[in-house]
Amino acid sequence: DERKIILDHLSDASEDEIAFVEAALDAPVDPMALARDTGDTMRAQVYSAALMAIAVDTDAERTYLRGLAQALQLDDDTVADLHKTMGRPPL
């Protein structure tokens, strides 16, 4: 479980720090807010990070990735290249 792996790395953290990380892990991700906070040079990296965490095998995942790509202002060719490079199915 990815959550356990992350929390295991916090062995030296205080209870307040651990609670902060747990709350962040539990918080839903708003792709539009994420896109607004992402600088131009990091947009492909943000999309790639999301793509690594998703199998791209459900309609909900494809819809999420399409919305994220749009919010990040990534063109279709860039998205296709990222999927191909990472060995993920196309949208």
Side-chain angles (χ1 to χ4, degrees):
D1 170 61
E2 291 173 12
R3 182 185 177 94
K4 183 177 178 344
I5 292 169
I6 292 168
L7 294 174
D8 284 348
H9 286 285
L10 302 177
S11 60
D12 294 335
S14 70
E15 287 183 25
D16 286 342
E17 291 167 330
I18 292 171
F20 175 82
V21 171
E22 287 177 328
L25 290 171
D26 291 339
V29 175
D30 176 357
M32 295 304 273
L34 179 64
R36 281 191 302 271
D37 293 340
T38 302
D40 292 343
T41 60
M42 294 299 296
R43 291 180 179 180
Q45 289 87 343
V46 167
Y47 186 88
S48 295
L51 187 56
M52 285 181 0
I54 295 176
V56 196
D57 60 356
T58 68
D59 287 338
E61 291 169 343
R62 285 185 282 281
T63 298
Y64 172 79
L65 287 172
R66 281 188 199 102
L68 182 60
Q70 183 177 20
L72 291 167
Q73 300 175 353
L74 296 175
D75 61 58
D76 292 342
D77 290 339
T78 300
V79 171
D81 287 344
L82 291 170
H83 279 250
K84 184 177 179 182
T85 299
M86 297 179 71
R88 299 291 194 196
L91 290 180

